[in-house]
């Protein structure tokens, strides 16, 4: 990576504004998945060990510039303290007199968590005044929030204009793994793209078609491709206005010599529910009144063999409605195949990461990205503003 990291600068006694992505799912004030907090620990521990005064900042949810009580970071500070095994101070603002006083009272190695930066309207607008106010709290800026690196906000981009700005260790790792995969992949290189809509995956499919040997399609978006092939899809998800685009992707695959894999058979249902009647049918036989909610057994076998023959696999988006157990088998088969194969497996965040967690296979994957939207944009080949803003080596 050509950006400076925490390893490249002197941290002893320095006040460090460290942007992390503590945007964790919460239910009734409890954190339901602490992966992102754990993922930030190496950087925080590194800063502590080096004797920095650590000022952490994050967003949580989308409070849209207002204080929303349920979106305070207080429970996160408590859990972080337990995980670090040391006291984490918390203030109820992210800049201003109270935040300044708290930052100035830190001893070397102390950790402070500021309040949700999205309680301020200037955050998402990348307001230069707010960026300056954040910067005035510290001597150095560290961005470890890979999950928010696709956002040009005051705490992810604007602040970097005012004080020395470097990457944290999680940011470095994410960029290294995803960057290497895309620029110098081990082959055969396979991408598995699923999820709900073609619309959300246009950029990523287009970019990956330039790089992969195999492209596997699943999930709700597959049916627009199935329709483009001339089959009826019944009540399955279909984006009429993307049929031509789906066809053009299949043409591009042919042109580039990319093997393009589509469902051969599917699980269809007469209802979107756990109690639905289901059947396995070939792809050219989806009944008019039914919807396809998962890939079928033949498709699972084919996808498994492609994965087993690959050296590198990137996966983004589930193969079916994995939240309902009757339609989870396709997604589980892909997760299982990745877990047992020798391929280097990169899970592109979001729902695929949630699926791997749900199947208890997270520790069998080579890398699970902490970024949903960020990893998608990275795989689209886009520059991430939170990374661009950091100082070059
Ligand atoms: N055949 C299908 N029909 C309808 N919905 C489906 C189908 N297959 C998958 N889904 C749904 O698609 C959703 C995931 O789509 P989405 O595009 O949001 O995921 P993703 O690509 O993992 O997103 P993220 O950007 O969070 O990584 C899941 O909730 C899943 O139930
Ligand atoms: O959860 C995420 O993908 C990141 O934390 C970014 O959140 P956002 O989509 O609300 O900007």
């Amino acid at each position: 990576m050509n950006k400076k990291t925490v390893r490249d600068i002197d941290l002893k006694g320095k006040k460090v504004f460290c942007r992390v992505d503590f945007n964790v799912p919460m239910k009734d004030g409890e954190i339901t998945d602490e992966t992102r907090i754990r993922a930030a620990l190496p950087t925080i521990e590194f800063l502590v060990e080096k004797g920095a005064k650590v000022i952490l900042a994050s967003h949580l949810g989308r409070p849209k510039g207002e204080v929303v009580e349920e979106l305070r970071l207080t429970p996160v500070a408590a859990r972080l303290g337990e995980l670090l095994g040391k006291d984490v101070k918390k203030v109820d603002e992210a800049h201003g007199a109270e935040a300044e006083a708290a930052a100035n009272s830190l001893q070397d190695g102390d950790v402070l968590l500021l309040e949700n930066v999205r309680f301020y309207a200037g955050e998402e607008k990348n307001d230069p005044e707010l960026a300056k106010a954040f910067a005035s709290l510290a001597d150095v800026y560290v961005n470890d929030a890979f999950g928010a690196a696709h956002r040009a906000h005051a705490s992810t981009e604007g602040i970097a204009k005012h004080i020395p700005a470097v990457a944290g260790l999680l940011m470095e790792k994410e960029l290294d793994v995803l960057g290497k995969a895309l620029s110098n992949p081990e082959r055969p290189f396979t991408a598995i793209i699923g999820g709900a809509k073609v619309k959300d995956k246009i950029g990523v499919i287009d970019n990956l078609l330039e790089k992969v040997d195999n492209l596997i399609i699943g999930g709700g978006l597959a049916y627009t491709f199935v329709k483009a092939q001339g089959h009826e899809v019944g009540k399955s998800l279909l984006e009429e206005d993307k049929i031509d685009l789906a066809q053009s992707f299949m043409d591009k695959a042919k042109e580039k010599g990319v093997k393009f894999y589509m469902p051969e058979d599917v699980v269809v249902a007469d209802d979107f529910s756990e109690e639905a009647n289901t059947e396995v049918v070939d792809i050219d036989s989806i009944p008019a009144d039914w919807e396809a909610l998962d890939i079928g057994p033949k498709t699972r076998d084919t996808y498994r063999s492609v994965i087993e023959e690959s050296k590198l696999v990137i996966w983004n988006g589930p193969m079916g409605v994995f939240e309902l157990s009757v339609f989870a088998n396709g997604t589980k088969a892909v997760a299982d195949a990745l877990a047992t194969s020798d391929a280097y497996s990169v899970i592109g965040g979001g729902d695929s990461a949630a699926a791997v967690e749900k199947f208890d296979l997270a520790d069998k994957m080579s890398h699970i990205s902490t970024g949903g939207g960020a990893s998608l944009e990275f795989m689209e080949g886009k520059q991430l503003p939170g990374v661009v803003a950091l100082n070059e080596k």
Side-chain angles (χ1 to χ4, degrees):
M1 195 178 66
N2 60 349
K3 296 291 181 181
K4 279 193 181 157
T5 77
V6 280
R7 274 191 279 265
D8 298 317
I9 54 167
D10 180 24
L11 293 160
K12 174 88 187 127
K14 296 273 166 45
K15 281 187 286 177
V16 175
F17 185 106
C18 180
R19 177 59 157 98
V20 288
D21 186 352
F22 284 165
N23 186 25
V24 289
M26 309 257 284
K27 199 164 181 236
D28 304 326
E30 300 279 325
I31 299 159
T32 55
D33 178 359
E34 61 188 31
T35 309
R36 281 180 165 171
I37 305 178
R38 287 182 182 273
L41 293 177
T43 299
I44 301 169
E45 280 163 352
F46 184 89
L47 297 173
V48 167
E49 265 165 38
K50 297 285 171 188
K53 298 167 171 138
V54 186
I55 306 162
L56 299 171
S58 177
H59 73 284
L60 175 62
R62 293 179 173 168
K64 300 205 161 69
E66 281 167 22
V67 174
V68 174
E69 287 304 322
E70 304 79 69
L71 294 177
R72 288 198 182 277
L73 283 165
T74 316
V76 175
R79 183 64 190 134
L80 176 64
E82 287 167 10
L83 291 170
L84 283 173
K86 69 187 273 136
D87 186 43
V88 172
K89 299 181 178 61
K90 160 81 193 349
V91 274
D92 290 341
E93 54 181 37
H95 73 92
E98 205 193 314
E100 245 163 68
N104 289 334
S105 70
L106 293 174
Q107 303 294 311
D108 293 1
D110 279 355
V111 180
L112 166 73
L113 177 60
L114 301 173
E115 190 50 276
N116 190 341
V117 287
R118 287 195 187 166
F119 285 178
Y120 303 86
E123 166 64 4
E124 292 186 68
K125 293 191 187 118
N126 201 0
D127 173 22
E129 290 308 313
L130 184 61
K132 241 189 250 171
F134 288 151
S136 73
L137 291 173
D139 308 304
V140 178
Y141 172 64
V142 172
N143 193 351
D144 208 30
F146 175 73
H150 57 317
R151 308 289 184 212
H153 294 172
S155 71
T156 61
E157 201 269 350
I159 182 174
K161 299 193 175 92
H162 302 287
I163 45 178
V166 304
L169 301 175
L170 173 64
M171 179 70 93
E172 181 187 37
K173 183 172 167 217
E174 293 267 17
L175 295 173
D176 270 358
V177 171
L178 294 170
K180 248 180 234 151
L182 295 184
S183 63
N184 188 18
E186 278 214 76
R187 297 186 180 277
F189 174 20
T190 298
I192 308 172
I193 303 295
K197 295 198 175 125
V198 178
K199 166 167 103 24
D200 299 334
K201 305 287 160 83
I202 298 172
V204 76
I205 295 175
D206 197 34
N207 192 39
L208 288 174
L209 277 172
E210 307 280 343
K211 304 180 186 293
V212 298
D213 302 296
N214 305 304
L215 183 67
I216 291 179
I217 297 283
L221 62 85
Y223 304 99
T224 300
F225 288 86
V226 171
K227 181 79 178 174
Q229 281 183 325
H231 303 306
E232 290 311 319
V233 298
K235 292 196 168 151
S236 313
L237 276 185
L238 176 66
E239 291 156 90
E240 295 272 1
D241 61 335
K242 296 288 177 290
I243 297 172
D244 289 347
L245 179 73
Q247 184 59 55
S248 76
F249 283 146
M250 292 189 280
D251 295 342
K252 181 169 173 178
K254 208 177 228 174
E255 211 178 281
K256 300 265 172 198
V258 174
K259 287 200 196 122
F260 199 92
Y261 292 90
M262 300 255 299
E264 301 156 53
D265 59 348
V266 286
V267 179
V268 293
D270 62 354
D271 189 25
F272 193 97
S273 77
E274 204 74 80
E275 293 76 35
N277 293 306
T278 63
E279 252 177 61
V280 172
V281 297
D282 281 338
I283 202 64
D284 57 2
S285 311
I286 300 177
D289 283 348
W290 295 51
E291 60 185 319
L293 294 178
D294 196 10
I295 55 173
K298 277 193 269 184
T299 310
R300 295 202 295 262
D301 284 348
T302 306
Y303 289 7
R304 187 178 297 115
S305 350
V306 177
I307 291 168
E308 277 164 5
E309 284 158 20
S310 302
K311 288 258 168 53
L312 168 67
V313 182
I314 286 187
W315 180 22
N316 178 284
M319 298 290 99
V321 182
F322 75 101
E323 299 91 336
L324 301 177
S325 60
V326 273
F327 310 115
N329 290 332
T331 305
K332 174 127 192 342
V334 163
D336 277 333
L338 285 172
T340 51
S341 85
D342 296 331
Y344 191 89
S345 49
V346 180
I347 314 300
D351 276 305
S352 337
V356 166
E357 289 282 347
K358 180 180 159 146
F359 303 135
D360 231 354
L361 293 170
D363 59 343
K364 302 274 190 328
M365 303 298 151
S366 313
H367 179 75
I368 302 181
S369 178
T370 51
S375 68
L376 208 57
E377 290 202 17
F378 192 92
M379 287 191 270
E380 287 173 20
K382 285 190 189 155
Q383 302 261 30
L384 307 179
V387 178
V388 174
L390 301 176
N391 302 155
E392 302 277 327
K393 259 194 183 147

Tab-separated table of all heavy atoms in Angstrom, residues 15 53 55 89 96-108 110 112 114 136-139:
chain	number	residue	atom	x	y	z
A	15	LYS	N	-1.779	12.991	20.728
A	15	LYS	CA	-3.234	12.801	20.723
A	15	LYS	C	-3.622	12.327	19.323
A	15	LYS	O	-3.326	12.996	18.332
A	15	LYS	CB	-3.944	14.116	21.053
A	15	LYS	CG	-3.934	14.421	22.541
A	15	LYS	CD	-4.792	15.626	22.871
A	15	LYS	CE	-4.099	16.906	22.434
A	15	LYS	NZ	-4.892	18.116	22.652
A	53	LYS	N	-2.351	8.942	23.033
A	53	LYS	CA	-3.595	9.269	23.736
A	53	LYS	C	-4.686	9.054	22.702
A	53	LYS	O	-4.777	9.812	21.726
A	53	LYS	CB	-3.578	10.720	24.204
A	53	LYS	CG	-2.448	10.967	25.206
A	53	LYS	CD	-2.223	12.439	25.444
A	53	LYS	CE	-1.254	12.628	26.590
A	53	LYS	NZ	-0.266	13.663	26.354
A	55	ILE	N	-8.128	8.875	20.890
A	55	ILE	CA	-9.463	9.475	20.835
A	55	ILE	C	-10.213	8.791	19.693
A	55	ILE	O	-9.919	9.014	18.519
A	55	ILE	CB	-9.360	10.996	20.557
A	55	ILE	CG1	-8.439	11.664	21.584
A	55	ILE	CG2	-10.750	11.639	20.527
A	55	ILE	CD1	-7.938	13.035	21.166
A	89	LYS	N	-12.982	5.768	28.394
A	89	LYS	CA	-13.806	6.929	28.765
A	89	LYS	C	-14.758	7.243	27.621
A	89	LYS	O	-14.472	6.945	26.466
A	89	LYS	CB	-12.903	8.134	29.032
A	89	LYS	CG	-11.924	7.915	30.171
A	89	LYS	CD	-11.086	9.158	30.398
A	89	LYS	CE	-10.132	8.993	31.558
A	89	LYS	NZ	-9.137	7.891	31.381
A	96	GLY	N	-16.192	20.146	20.781
A	96	GLY	CA	-16.713	21.120	21.743
A	96	GLY	C	-15.991	21.008	23.082
A	96	GLY	O	-15.072	20.177	23.229
A	97	ALA	N	-16.432	21.831	24.035
A	97	ALA	CA	-15.692	22.001	25.295
A	97	ALA	C	-15.498	20.687	26.061
A	97	ALA	O	-14.394	20.381	26.529
A	97	ALA	CB	-16.426	23.012	26.171
A	98	GLU	N	-16.583	19.900	26.121
A	98	GLU	CA	-16.500	18.669	26.919
A	98	GLU	C	-15.534	17.663	26.275
A	98	GLU	O	-14.722	17.022	26.944
A	98	GLU	CB	-17.908	18.043	26.992
A	98	GLU	CG	-18.123	17.159	28.190
A	98	GLU	CD	-19.408	16.328	28.037
A	98	GLU	OE1	-20.447	16.918	27.649
A	98	GLU	OE2	-19.352	15.118	28.289
A	99	ALA	N	-15.637	17.553	24.947
A	99	ALA	CA	-14.761	16.631	24.214
A	99	ALA	C	-13.304	17.082	24.345
A	99	ALA	O	-12.403	16.271	24.575
A	99	ALA	CB	-15.168	16.566	22.751
A	100	GLU	N	-13.104	18.397	24.238
A	100	GLU	CA	-11.739	18.937	24.353
A	100	GLU	C	-11.146	18.660	25.730
A	100	GLU	O	-10.001	18.220	25.845
A	100	GLU	CB	-11.784	20.452	24.156
A	100	GLU	CG	-11.051	20.910	22.931
A	100	GLU	CD	-11.472	22.319	22.572
A	100	GLU	OE1	-11.152	23.248	23.337
A	100	GLU	OE2	-12.166	22.455	21.534
A	101	ALA	N	-11.952	18.923	26.752
A	101	ALA	CA	-11.470	18.702	28.121
A	101	ALA	C	-11.119	17.227	28.313
A	101	ALA	O	-10.071	16.886	28.896
A	101	ALA	CB	-12.541	19.131	29.130
A	102	ALA	N	-11.975	16.345	27.798
A	102	ALA	CA	-11.719	14.906	27.946
A	102	ALA	C	-10.447	14.513	27.204
A	102	ALA	O	-9.616	13.758	27.717
A	102	ALA	CB	-12.911	14.109	27.434
A	103	ALA	N	-10.283	15.055	25.989
A	103	ALA	CA	-9.090	14.724	25.190
A	103	ALA	C	-7.832	15.233	25.886
A	103	ALA	O	-6.808	14.542	25.938
A	103	ALA	CB	-9.214	15.323	23.795
A	104	ASN	N	-7.916	16.442	26.448
A	104	ASN	CA	-6.735	17.036	27.081
A	104	ASN	C	-6.364	16.378	28.398
A	104	ASN	O	-5.244	16.525	28.871
A	104	ASN	CB	-6.946	18.540	27.285
A	104	ASN	CG	-6.917	19.277	25.954
A	104	ASN	OD1	-6.279	18.796	25.001
A	104	ASN	ND2	-7.606	20.398	25.861
A	105	SER	N	-7.325	15.668	28.993
A	105	SER	CA	-6.999	15.030	30.283
A	105	SER	C	-6.449	13.610	30.097
A	105	SER	O	-6.116	12.936	31.065
A	105	SER	CB	-8.248	14.989	31.182
A	105	SER	OG	-9.162	14.067	30.631
A	106	LEU	N	-6.347	13.154	28.845
A	106	LEU	CA	-5.856	11.783	28.616
A	106	LEU	C	-4.369	11.658	28.968
A	106	LEU	O	-3.572	12.542	28.648
A	106	LEU	CB	-6.050	11.385	27.146
A	106	LEU	CG	-7.488	11.231	26.636
A	106	LEU	CD1	-7.492	10.971	25.122
A	106	LEU	CD2	-8.208	10.107	27.375
A	107	GLN	N	-4.020	10.551	29.607
A	107	GLN	CA	-2.611	10.204	29.826
A	107	GLN	C	-2.170	9.320	28.658
A	107	GLN	O	-3.018	8.744	27.955
A	107	GLN	CB	-2.456	9.407	31.130
A	107	GLN	CG	-2.970	10.111	32.375
A	107	GLN	CD	-2.158	11.349	32.692
A	107	GLN	OE1	-0.925	11.296	32.721
A	107	GLN	NE2	-2.831	12.470	32.907
A	108	ASP	N	-0.861	9.154	28.484
A	108	ASP	CA	-0.372	8.266	27.423
A	108	ASP	C	-0.988	6.875	27.601
A	108	ASP	O	-0.987	6.323	28.713
A	108	ASP	CB	1.156	8.138	27.482
A	108	ASP	CG	1.824	9.463	27.130
A	108	ASP	OD1	1.101	10.443	26.866
A	108	ASP	OD2	3.069	9.499	27.127
A	110	ASP	N	-4.158	6.098	27.309
A	110	ASP	CA	-5.591	6.145	27.664
A	110	ASP	C	-6.451	6.095	26.394
A	110	ASP	O	-6.006	6.497	25.309
A	110	ASP	CB	-5.934	7.451	28.402
A	110	ASP	CG	-5.570	7.383	29.880
A	110	ASP	OD1	-5.143	6.289	30.336
A	110	ASP	OD2	-5.713	8.414	30.567
A	112	LEU	N	-10.324	7.121	24.808
A	112	LEU	CA	-11.565	7.893	24.938
A	112	LEU	C	-12.425	7.616	23.706
A	112	LEU	O	-11.914	7.577	22.592
A	112	LEU	CB	-11.204	9.390	24.992
A	112	LEU	CG	-12.330	10.407	24.795
A	112	LEU	CD1	-13.234	10.449	26.037
A	112	LEU	CD2	-11.743	11.811	24.547
A	114	LEU	N	-15.530	9.204	21.560
A	114	LEU	CA	-16.406	10.361	21.366
A	114	LEU	C	-17.822	9.880	21.041
A	114	LEU	O	-18.037	8.705	20.753
A	114	LEU	CB	-15.882	11.225	20.219
A	114	LEU	CG	-14.462	11.783	20.370
A	114	LEU	CD1	-14.021	12.484	19.079
A	114	LEU	CD2	-14.373	12.753	21.557
A	136	SER	N	-8.912	19.664	15.545
A	136	SER	CA	-8.334	20.461	16.633
A	136	SER	C	-8.232	19.658	17.928
A	136	SER	O	-7.552	20.067	18.866
A	136	SER	CB	-9.175	21.720	16.850
A	136	SER	OG	-10.399	21.360	17.463
A	137	LEU	N	-8.903	18.509	17.976
A	137	LEU	CA	-8.814	17.677	19.186
A	137	LEU	C	-7.499	16.908	19.265
A	137	LEU	O	-7.151	16.360	20.304
A	137	LEU	CB	-9.960	16.649	19.210
A	137	LEU	CG	-11.384	17.150	19.414
A	137	LEU	CD1	-12.371	16.005	19.225
A	137	LEU	CD2	-11.542	17.766	20.806
A	138	ALA	N	-6.791	16.780	18.113
A	138	ALA	CA	-5.683	15.824	18.087
A	138	ALA	C	-4.476	16.336	17.308
A	138	ALA	O	-4.529	17.375	16.649
A	138	ALA	CB	-6.170	14.524	17.458
A	139	ASP	N	-3.366	15.563	17.402
A	139	ASP	CA	-2.149	15.882	16.641
A	139	ASP	C	-2.094	15.079	15.350
A	139	ASP	O	-1.461	15.488	14.382
A	139	ASP	CB	-0.898	15.507	17.466
A	139	ASP	CG	-0.926	16.105	18.859
A	139	ASP	OD1	-1.055	17.335	18.944
A	139	ASP	OD2	-0.854	15.338	19.845
